[in-house]
Amino acid sequence: MKTTMTIAAASAALLFGAGAAPAHVTLDPPEAAVGTTHKAVFRVPHGCAGAATSRLRIRIPEGVIGVKPMPKPGWELEKLHGTYAQPHDLYGTPVSEGVTEVAWSGDLPDDEYDEFALLAYLSSALEPGTTLYFPVVQECQDSTARWIELPQAGHGAHGHATPAPGLDLTTGR
């Protein structure tokens, strides 16, 4: 029922609100189970105000570990490493540091779209029934789109002009 309502709301937004707000970077699939490996695909539908996208940066939230971004032909890949707020278990091995940001640099014309993927483990420390947000910065020639807005507790991402892509967490399989 929830999925049907979400699809209906998204369809209505596409039909009636296409000109009201800019399309944003989205995450596919939009849900994943805690304690599993997940392939996250970030879809970039356009550039910034008519300019080509030259760089896409994704901040990795706490609890997403063992991150392996997918290289893209023609794009330079960068991985920023850092220390996690707390140690996590990665298939029986404790880890306390890893990739905390991923960036691709290249050229994506405004009239084309592309997808940027990474593989990661969703730590069992994450809470099912919550949404995990991945702030994204989309850099273009003379401007930047910051898809970083997080909803307030109890409110969805609706109404935000620049929402961060979200991943709904479910129970492990």
Side-chain angles (χ1 to χ4, degrees), residues 70-86:
M70 180 182 287
K72 295 182 68 58
W75 289 74
E76 182 180 326
L77 177 61
E78 299 172 61
K79 296 172 277 193
L80 177 66
H81 292 78
T83 303
Y84 298 138
Q86 65 181 28

Side-chain angles (χ1 to χ4, degrees), residues 18-96:
H24 53 277
V25 174
T26 56
L27 185 56
D28 188 50
E31 67 178 37
V34 168
T36 65
T37 298
H38 176 68
K39 179 182 177 184
V41 179
F42 296 85
R43 186 170 294 129
V44 179
H46 57 72
C48 313
T53 298
S54 57
R55 183 172 168 89
L56 189 74
R57 292 184 296 137
I58 300 171
R59 192 176 78 215
I60 308 300
E62 180 68 26
V64 178
I65 60 176
V67 174
K68 296 180 180 182
M70 180 182 287
K72 295 182 68 58
W75 289 74
E76 182 180 326
L77 177 61
E78 299 172 61
K79 296 172 277 193
L80 177 66
H81 292 78
T83 303
Y84 298 138
Q86 65 181 28
H88 295 279
D89 179 73
L90 180 61
Y91 295 113
T93 302
V95 292
S96 57

Side-chain angles (χ1 to χ4, degrees), residues 88-171:
H88 295 279
D89 179 73
L90 180 61
Y91 295 113
T93 302
V95 292
S96 57
E97 60 184 38
V99 175
T100 55
E101 185 173 305
V102 176
W104 288 268
S105 299
D107 183 53
L108 175 60
D110 181 57
D111 64 346
E112 297 176 8
Y113 92 98
D114 206 344
E115 297 177 335
F116 300 80
L118 58 85
L119 194 63
Y121 182 77
L122 302 175
S123 169
S124 57
L126 294 169
E127 188 177 333
T130 62
T131 301
L132 195 60
Y133 293 94
F134 292 77
V136 175
V137 175
Q138 178 184 8
E139 298 176 19
C140 299
Q141 293 166 319
D142 295 327
S143 62
T144 300
R146 299 178 191 286
W147 308 106
I148 60 172
E149 287 186 284
L150 306 178
Q152 296 175 353
H155 303 283
H158 304 291
H160 286 295
T162 57
L167 181 66
D168 293 331
L169 300 175
T170 63
T171 56

